[in-house]
Amino acid sequence: MNITLIGAGNLATNLGKALKAAQYHIGQVYSRTETSARQLGELLDCPWTTTLSGLADDADCFIISVKDNALEQVAEQVCRKFGNVTPQQAGGQPANDRKQGNNHLQDTAPIFLHTAGSMPIQLFEGRARRYGVLYPMQTFSKEREVDFSYIPCFVEASDEATMAQICQLARSISEEVHPMSSADRRYLHLAAVWACNFTNHCYDVASEILGRHDIPFSVMNALVDETAAKVHALPPRQAQTGPAVRFDENVLEAQMKLMEGELLQQELYRKLSESIHEYQKKVK
Amino acid sequence: MNITLIGAGNLATNLGKALKAAQYHIGQVYSRTETSARQLGELLDCPWTTTLSGLADDADCFIISVKDNALEQVAEQVCRKFGNVTPQQAGGQPANDRKQGNNHLQDTAPIFLHTAGSMPIQLFEGRARRYGVLYPMQTFSKEREVDFSYIPCFVEASDEATMAQICQLARSISEEVHPMSSADRRYLHLAAVWACNFTNHCYDVASEILGRHDIPFSVMNALVDETAAKVHALPPRQAQTGPAVRFDENVLEAQMKLMEGELLQQELYRKLSESIHEYQKKVK
């Protein structure tokens, strides 16, 4: 399978490395910015381009990993070029398709994938014959190597034959592959924002508080790890500890004072404490 | 060293087990409630009592691990009984002290410790001759075994000789022992609330969102672990990813809609996203 990667951000970089390690042929890489395109091209040892018109036409699979707010437009442009959709299928849109003669060979038409948790599969509808979603639920940074085999990948496809191929692709890089509808995946992505981005922000506030008193954030390592490990074994509600559980006004007020002048921190502190207390009341 | 544990909650239970494993003699356990007192007494194979008047007078060290809002009162009562403070030292308070004859033997007077992150050492002042703080910074639940040797313990003492003894005690159960003043420890505890309690609440909200769609929280395990592992290597600000970094209004509004009817969740979502965005602006 010859894969073209559209996008060269954190996710595309990590996914590209995993696919290459699984012996897939990465034929080409696209990024709007030359630095990113060249960087990923060199990393994966493949040609790169900064224009969608420069995309080669021999890919079996286009994986589009761009920012959510650019995804629909990029998908539309790439599909217009290679989507193999007849004007009829596209609902009257011109197909501009050099492979139109292949329409009867359903299984050899290229597959279009996006990797976004919160974007629906439907954005390919009418624009490509075969398409799907491969959402690897993880927090990716370019400077950090991740073991893809533990990353749960949530997949969805336009049809059964395409689903089989997407599953095969996903299973070659991850041991955890789950089919999931776009409707459910939105909630999964929302939950990931809470469990990852908001969690990391809590670390960040802790880091800022410690920094003001010249205490290194590394003292938190054991606590951060145990907090994470604990919810493998206990439901988070049962794992909860600390002053907000009992909503001890004395402690809460004393801690609010320690954040004097930091209005957003104080607001968040109060709301999070209230919310913890509300959740704990449900337990009783 | 003969240790009496005052309190039988999550922290006292875990600390007691660690001390016993380190070959300390736990002479007695106190808890206000009989179930907790008996449970910990049986676990540590030692006598237990539910009244402070039932405390034995032969302890070398009293470790007080009760709720923050009960700590001062319990400390006052225990110290009044065994604190070895003369009326003069206590500022005119009667000492009610059967060991008064030992006043010249400073180093054999019992040591009084509390284990609370946010409570100052000063609460022992004038109430005991030798005292200190041993704050093991971790989230403890009775049903979960923790390896105490990785838990950073923050210590403080009334005097040098007592500090040496508290450090020895702490080092026998943990490899990470740091002296820290009460003033700094307040901020440490506040940071721990963010990095642990608020983080765990973010997991809890994620769990609730998933639960509504019959998705098990365990799908989050890899994400939760990587989010925690990442901040060992990168500062949290640099580790941040997700839609709030760019404050993408379209994605944020779409996710707000998914929490319809959950007003506190929505408020937190918006404030946390704002705060992430503010922090990221500081990076640029």
Side-chain angles (χ1 to χ4, degrees):
Chain A
M1 201 185 238
N2 183 20
I3 296 174
T4 291
L5 284 178
I6 317 265
N10 297 340
L11 198 161
T13 299
N14 279 279
L15 181 59
K17 282 162 78 176
L19 288 168
K20 193 174 161 71
Q23 311 296 330
Y24 280 96
H25 180 252
I26 313 294
Q28 197 181 19
V29 160
Y30 158 88
S31 170
R32 217 176 31 167
T33 58
E34 189 175 325
T35 318
S36 300
R38 181 191 297 118
Q39 201 174 24
L40 188 54
E42 284 173 3
L43 187 70
L44 302 177
D45 194 21
C46 72
W48 49 270
T49 177
T50 58
T51 58
L52 292 175
S53 59
L55 287 177
D57 65 357
D58 60 349
D60 303 305
C61 182
F62 293 90
I63 302 183
I64 308 175
S65 294
V66 296
K67 284 172 190 158
D68 284 5
N69 57 10
L71 178 57
E72 184 139 15
Q73 203 198 340
V74 171
E76 194 272 328
Q77 288 180 267
V78 178
C79 288
R80 200 186 318 142
K81 235 175 144 204
F82 306 114
N84 289 326
V85 173
T86 61
Q88 229 171 350
Q89 289 170 311
Q93 302 277 324
N96 185 16
D97 178 7
R98 72 187 79 175
K99 280 193 187 170
Q100 252 181 48
N102 286 345
N103 274 0
H104 60 286
L105 298 171
Q106 182 89 12
D107 286 347
T108 63
I111 297 176
F112 295 81
L113 294 180
H114 78 69
T115 58
S118 58
M119 302 298 276
I121 189 173
Q122 286 78 14
L123 64 84
F124 289 118
E125 232 170 47
R127 291 177 171 154
R129 292 219 319 263
R130 307 177 67 211
Y131 52 85
V133 179
L134 167 60
Y135 169 50
M137 191 176 65
Q138 190 49 286
T139 167
F140 296 106
S141 296
K142 283 185 193 177
E143 57 270 62
R144 190 169 159 80
E145 190 86 36
V146 288
D147 184 347
F148 229 94
S149 59
Y150 297 113
I151 298 176
C153 291
F154 297 88
V155 295
E156 194 177 7
S158 52
D159 57 274
E160 270 184 47
T162 305
M163 181 57 121
Q165 275 188 274
I166 296 173
C167 279
Q168 193 184 13
L169 183 80
R171 286 204 189 100
S172 70
I173 53 173
S174 166
E175 286 167 18
E176 263 204 69
V177 178
H178 310 283
M180 187 175 279
S181 69
S182 290
D184 278 352
R185 202 176 54 249
R186 288 181 305 167
Y187 291 97
L188 186 74
H189 185 247
L190 175 62
V193 166
W194 280 95
C196 170
N197 306 147
F198 291 170
T199 282
N200 184 72
H201 189 59
C202 292
Y203 300 156
D204 202 354
V205 176
S207 173
E208 178 147 305
I209 290 165
L210 293 172
R212 274 185 240 133
H213 297 270
D214 298 318
I215 305 169
F217 182 68
S218 58
V219 298
M220 292 284 140
N221 284 351
L223 182 63
V224 161
D225 289 353
E226 170 64 9
T227 305
K230 216 173 172 182
V231 293
H232 288 233
L234 299 175
R237 195 139 323 160
Q238 198 182 328
Q240 191 59 281
T241 58
V245 170
R246 297 178 298 276
F247 210 73
D248 184 335
E249 284 279 4
N250 290 339
V251 179
L252 297 184
E253 284 311 315
Q255 295 210 317
M256 287 286 278
K257 278 203 192 108
L258 299 180
M259 292 176 286
E260 221 150 44
E262 298 286 339
L263 294 184
L264 194 47
Q265 257 175 42
Q266 285 182 320
E267 258 186 290
L268 280 171
Y269 179 92
R270 181 152 281 280
K271 290 279 167 210
L272 284 163
S273 297
E274 271 174 35
S275 189
I276 288 174
H277 190 56
E278 287 301 315
Y279 274 36
Q280 292 296 321
K281 279 199 281 189
K282 291 187 206 171
V283 176
K284 281 152 204 168
Chain B
M1 201 186 240
N2 183 20
I3 296 174
T4 290
L5 285 179
I6 317 264
N10 296 341
L11 198 161
T13 299
N14 278 279
L15 181 59
K17 283 161 79 176
L19 288 168
K20 193 175 161 70
Q23 313 294 331
Y24 281 95
H25 180 252
I26 313 294
Q28 197 181 20
V29 160
Y30 159 88
S31 170
R32 218 175 31 168
T33 58
E34 189 175 325
T35 318
S36 300
R38 182 192 296 118
Q39 200 175 23
L40 188 54
E42 285 172 1
L43 187 70
L44 301 177
D45 194 21
C46 72
W48 50 270
T49 177
T50 59
T51 58
L52 291 174
S53 59
L55 286 177
D57 65 356
D58 60 349
D60 302 306
C61 182
F62 294 90
I63 302 182
I64 309 175
S65 293
V66 297
K67 284 170 189 159
D68 283 5
N69 56 9
L71 178 57
E72 184 139 15
Q73 202 198 340
V74 171
E76 194 273 327
Q77 287 180 269
V78 178
C79 289
R80 201 188 314 142
K81 232 173 147 209
F82 307 114
N84 289 326
V85 173
T86 61
Q88 232 172 347
Q89 288 169 312
Q93 302 277 324
N96 184 16
D97 178 6
R98 72 187 80 175
K99 281 194 185 169
Q100 251 179 46
N102 285 345
N103 273 0
H104 60 289
L105 298 172
Q106 182 91 12
D107 287 346
T108 63
I111 297 175
F112 296 80
L113 294 181
H114 78 70
T115 58
S118 58
M119 302 298 276
I121 189 173
Q122 285 79 13
L123 63 85
F124 289 118
E125 231 170 48
R127 291 177 171 155
R129 291 219 319 263
R130 307 177 67 211
Y131 52 86
V133 178
L134 168 59
Y135 169 49
M137 191 176 65
Q138 191 48 285
T139 168
F140 296 106
S141 296
K142 282 184 193 177
E143 57 271 61
R144 190 169 159 81
E145 190 85 39
V146 287
D147 183 347
F148 229 95
S149 59
Y150 296 113
I151 298 176
C153 291
F154 297 88
V155 295
E156 194 177 8
S158 53
D159 57 274
E160 269 184 45
T162 305
M163 182 57 122
Q165 276 188 273
I166 297 173
C167 279
Q168 194 183 12
L169 183 81
R171 287 203 188 102
S172 70
I173 52 174
S174 165
E175 287 166 18
E176 262 204 70
V177 177
H178 310 283
M180 188 175 279
S181 69
S182 290
D184 277 353
R185 202 176 54 249
R186 288 180 305 167
Y187 291 97
L188 187 72
H189 185 248
L190 174 62
V193 166
W194 280 94
C196 170
N197 307 147
F198 290 171
T199 281
N200 184 72
H201 188 60
C202 293
Y203 300 156
D204 202 353
V205 175
S207 173
E208 178 147 306
I209 290 165
L210 293 173
R212 274 185 241 135
H213 298 270
D214 298 318
I215 306 169
F217 181 68
S218 58
V219 299
M220 292 284 141
N221 283 352
L223 182 63
V224 161
D225 289 353
E226 170 63 10
T227 305
K230 215 174 172 183
V231 293
H232 288 233
L234 299 175
R237 194 139 325 161
Q238 198 181 329
Q240 191 59 280
T241 58
V245 170
R246 294 178 300 274
F247 210 73
D248 185 335
E249 284 280 4
N250 289 340
V251 178
L252 298 184
E253 283 312 315
Q255 294 210 317
M256 287 287 277
K257 279 203 191 106
L258 299 180
M259 293 177 285
E260 220 150 45
E262 299 286 339
L263 293 185
L264 195 46
Q265 257 175 41
Q266 285 183 319
E267 259 186 290
L268 280 172
Y269 179 93
R270 181 152 282 280
K271 289 278 169 211
L272 284 163
S273 297
E274 272 174 33
S275 189
I276 289 174
H277 190 56
E278 286 301 314
Y279 274 37
Q280 291 297 320
K281 279 199 280 191
K282 291 188 205 170
V283 176
K284 280 150 203 167

